[in-house]
Amino acid sequence: MSTATEHVLILDFGSQVTQLIARRIRECGVYAEIVPYSISLDALLDASPRGVVLSGGPSSVYDSDAPLLSFRIEELADTYGIPVLGICYGLQLIAHQSGGRVVPANRREYGRADLWIDGDDLLFAGVPSPTAVWMSHGDAVADLPVEYHAIAHTESAPFAAVRHRQLPIRGVQFHPEVHHTEYGVRMLENFVRRICSCSAQWTPAQFIATTIEDIQRQVGLRGVVCALSGGVDSTVAAVLVHRAIGEQLHCIHVDTGLMRAGESETIERLFRQHFDIPLTVVNASALFLERLRGVTDPEQKRKIIGHTFIEVFEHHAEHFADVAFLVQGTLYPDVIESQSVKGPSATIKSHHNVGGLPDVMQLELVEPFRELFKDEVRAVGRALGVPEWFIERHPFPGPGLAIRIVGDVTPERLTILRHADEIFIEELHSAGLYTSIWQAFAVLVPVHTVGVMGDSRTYEHVCVLRAVTSTDGMTADWYPLPHQVLGRIASRITNEVRGINRVCYDVTSKPPATIEWE
């Protein structure tokens, strides 16, 4: 559990937006942690939360395999004084467990609805009536338990929000965590600040101070090694660990030859000049390209890159005889996605990460960001003095350009793609669009098309541009680039990049596609 002194637990019943509940509560300055709905009462009490949120979920409470709690809600609030907020399925579970009746709704409610607040309740302090909320449910509470009463309604839902008459238990049928609910963040803030009596202690400065103490306590006087990919997570982690232990940290950057234009030079300049942190740079591009020669299967590419990275990194880490720890930029979504609510999830693709290193090197992990979302890592980076131009960089996959070249990875194709990608990013910056986009990149596909340049016929590569918006990469929408900007990018690429004569734009969301092409 978290080192945060005040926190709220979110019991996950399988909602697609459970992470969003945590993010919204953290925006209120209160730490929120997600745990499986199956948590025991003893384990929950050991965590000492100030409040508990029951997430939504796809199940119906009357299903034979419905996810149910192992304890009674009233016991949590009455015996232990812990406030509870149920969201969507969470509300229905409260009603079902307390003797109410939940049935399939006469009219399923999906989308915007006007919420009318009935009377005064702390949950709705500062919220106007009516206010827009977002509904997404096929079941509804037909009869409330006798101890409960309605505190808000919509046209289709007389029990859109309810509360226990004596205990600090509330439930809402709508989703306050989504941005479509106009005052949703205010409602969540009212719950954690007014009802749970939490103060705003979850700040970057507080996190940095606490984490530095934790790292110093964990590491002692032993050495720590960190693999610097050039991404935001590993960079901020290295700066934070260096703040804690200084020269005990040994940073290694492996240039795989699959980097973006100027990537290795940028990370070397940032660490040596801006932060004055020693850095070992290893150019292993020839080895990576040799092992990737003729390989076209995406999973095989990832595995080759991962294994080669481990080999190179291990070889150079052994030069530091005192090393006993490995810094890893594990984020909170990586942790909670491994806690499946209703069983294991399908593997969409392997993730290249230095997560394979501990099994090989037998190093103990230092994972300062296990509690953080991506945007929180960026906030910590700002507080540590990492330059804004670096903090706002788009995510870049561990396998690099190898998974943006569909098919065989060759030096020639890498040069073509690297140049096209550089032009794309330059133009996004020029248009003032870069920071509005989660991730943007160019892809080289194994297709040649006929073109005309001057009076000559060409038969060259197709380049596909991809730009998406997202909050955490789990889902994504394609970004509607203005036609004028798209035209300028396409013109520059076809004019300046020898080997490309056609540019296309990917307008597929995730799902059904992934963000990367391989």
Side-chain angles (χ1 to χ4, degrees):
M1 296 293 178
S2 168
T3 55
T5 55
E6 296 180 350
H7 61 279
V8 172
L9 288 185
I10 301 169
L11 276 54
D12 183 15
F13 288 89
S15 171
Q16 294 296 310
V17 289
T18 298
Q19 288 192 38
L20 195 53
I21 302 172
R23 292 167 64 90
R24 293 288 183 258
I25 291 176
R26 292 185 184 192
E27 288 171 8
C28 302
V30 177
Y31 180 72
E33 184 169 353
I34 299 170
V35 297
Y37 75 90
S38 55
I39 187 173
S40 68
L41 180 59
D42 288 343
L44 189 152
L45 296 175
D46 285 344
S48 301
R50 287 291 187 95
V52 168
V53 177
L54 310 179
S55 83
S59 302
S60 296
V61 294
Y62 43 77
D63 288 345
S64 59
D65 61 345
L68 303 174
L69 293 173
S70 60
F71 53 86
R72 293 192 61 77
I73 295 294
E74 280 80 1
E75 180 183 7
L76 196 62
D78 191 13
T79 305
Y80 303 102
I82 300 176
V84 177
L85 174 66
I87 296 175
C88 198
Y89 178 86
L91 162 65
Q92 296 162 16
L93 180 62
I94 291 172
H96 177 71
Q97 193 184 67
S98 303
R101 189 166 62 96
V102 178
V103 299
N106 290 329
R107 190 179 81 182
R108 295 187 176 190
E109 197 169 18
Y110 297 104
R112 186 186 186 279
D114 288 328
L115 182 79
W116 297 85
I117 299 170
D118 303 317
D120 294 325
D121 190 87
L122 284 178
L123 187 66
F124 297 126
V127 178
S129 181
T131 184
V133 298
W134 191 259
M135 292 285 195
S136 179
H137 65 102
D139 295 345
V141 177
D143 296 309
L144 280 179
V146 294
E147 301 89 354
Y148 290 78
H149 67 98
I151 55 176
H153 69 276
T154 68
E155 181 181 356
S156 301
F159 306 127
V162 307
R163 70 159 297 176
H164 194 284
R165 297 182 188 276
Q166 284 82 39
L167 302 176
I169 304 174
R170 292 166 174 81
V172 295
Q173 184 60 74
F174 55 89
H175 287 270
E177 69 275 18
V178 302
H179 74 271
H180 305 82
T181 298
E182 290 179 341
Y183 284 81
V185 174
R186 173 71 62 83
M187 298 173 196
L188 292 173
E189 183 176 22
N190 286 339
F191 176 69
V192 297
R193 299 287 298 277
R194 292 171 178 259
I195 297 171
C196 300
S197 300
C198 294
S199 55
Q201 296 183 355
W202 183 249
T203 65
Q206 182 269 344
F207 173 84
I208 290 170
T210 301
T211 304
I212 285 176
E213 292 178 2
D214 291 342
I215 293 169
Q216 291 170 339
R217 189 182 308 112
Q218 179 187 8
V219 170
L221 298 177
R222 291 169 292 178
V224 180
V225 67
C226 176
L228 280 176
S229 66
V232 173
D233 300 336
S234 66
T235 298
V236 177
V239 174
L240 177 58
V241 174
H242 187 264
R243 179 78 61 91
I245 61 173
E247 293 183 0
Q248 291 170 243
L249 175 68
H250 310 289
C251 294
I252 300 173
H253 172 67
V254 178
D255 184 349
T256 63
L258 308 171
M259 318 297 288
R260 291 173 289 196
E263 188 82 19
S264 293
E265 294 81 1
T266 296
I267 193 69
E268 185 172 5
R269 184 171 61 252
L270 182 68
F271 271 74
R272 290 181 175 168
Q273 297 179 10
H274 186 85
F275 291 117
D276 194 25
I277 297 176
L279 173 66
T280 299
V281 178
V282 181
N283 189 336
S285 57
L287 177 62
F288 279 88
L289 291 178
E290 172 62 29
R291 292 187 177 178
L292 287 170
R293 182 184 298 173
V295 178
T296 59
D297 179 76
E299 280 297 288
Q300 193 176 356
K301 284 183 187 178
R302 289 176 178 271
K303 289 175 181 176
I304 289 172
I305 293 167
H307 293 159
T308 305
F309 183 90
I310 291 170
E311 179 184 325
V312 173
F313 185 87
E314 180 182 22
H315 173 72
H316 288 272
E318 287 176 349
H319 294 169
F320 305 106
D322 62 336
V323 168
F325 294 88
L326 170 70
V327 177
Q328 199 160 269
T330 307
L331 300 186
Y332 195 43
D334 301 328
V335 176
I336 57 182
E337 284 169 17
S338 67
Q339 301 174 346
S340 177
V341 172
K342 297 285 279 185
S345 301
T347 299
I348 305 301
K349 59 186 177 184
S350 301
H351 285 269
H352 167 79
N353 193 289
V354 293
L357 285 168
D359 294 336
V360 176
M361 302 177 66
Q362 301 301 311
L363 297 178
E364 187 177 339
L365 292 179
V366 176
E367 298 177 300
F369 299 150
R370 279 180 65 87
E371 298 177 349
L372 301 190
F373 290 105
K374 187 79 172 187
D375 53 347
E376 293 175 314
V377 173
R378 288 192 168 106
V380 169
R382 292 185 180 97
L384 288 169
V386 179
E388 187 66 22
W389 63 264
F390 191 90
I391 288 292
E392 291 296 338
R393 298 182 88 199
H394 292 173
F396 187 63
L401 299 182
I403 58 169
R404 294 176 178 175
I405 294 177
V406 181
D408 195 13
V409 180
T410 66
E412 177 194 13
R413 300 185 82 196
L414 279 165
T415 298
I416 292 171
L417 178 60
R418 193 175 283 121
H419 193 184
D421 186 77
E422 185 178 25
I423 290 171
F424 187 18
I425 300 304
E426 281 180 2
E427 288 298 326
L428 291 180
H429 279 294
S430 297
L433 298 175
Y434 183 83
T435 56
S436 300
I437 296 169
W438 165 267
Q439 197 168 357
F441 54 91
V443 178
L444 205 63
V445 296
V447 174
H448 286 69
T449 64
V450 174
V452 178
M453 291 186 176
D455 293 325
S456 301
R457 174 188 183 275
T458 62
Y459 192 59
E460 296 180 336
H461 290 89
V462 174
C463 173
V464 177
L465 305 178
R466 178 90 158 128
V468 299
T469 57
S470 181
T471 55
D472 49 26
M474 295 183 67
T475 61
D477 291 323
W478 61 277
Y479 186 82
L481 282 175
H483 292 176
Q484 185 178 6
V485 175
L486 265 177
R488 186 163 59 248
I489 295 168
S491 177
R492 280 198 61 191
I493 290 175
T494 52
N495 281 314
E496 298 177 31
V497 182
R498 185 177 296 276
I500 294 175
N501 67 358
R502 192 177 300 270
V503 176
C504 303
Y505 190 55
D506 183 349
V507 292
T508 318
S509 296
K510 175 186 179 181
T514 55
I515 293 178
E516 298 289 345
W517 271 50
E518 288 193 345

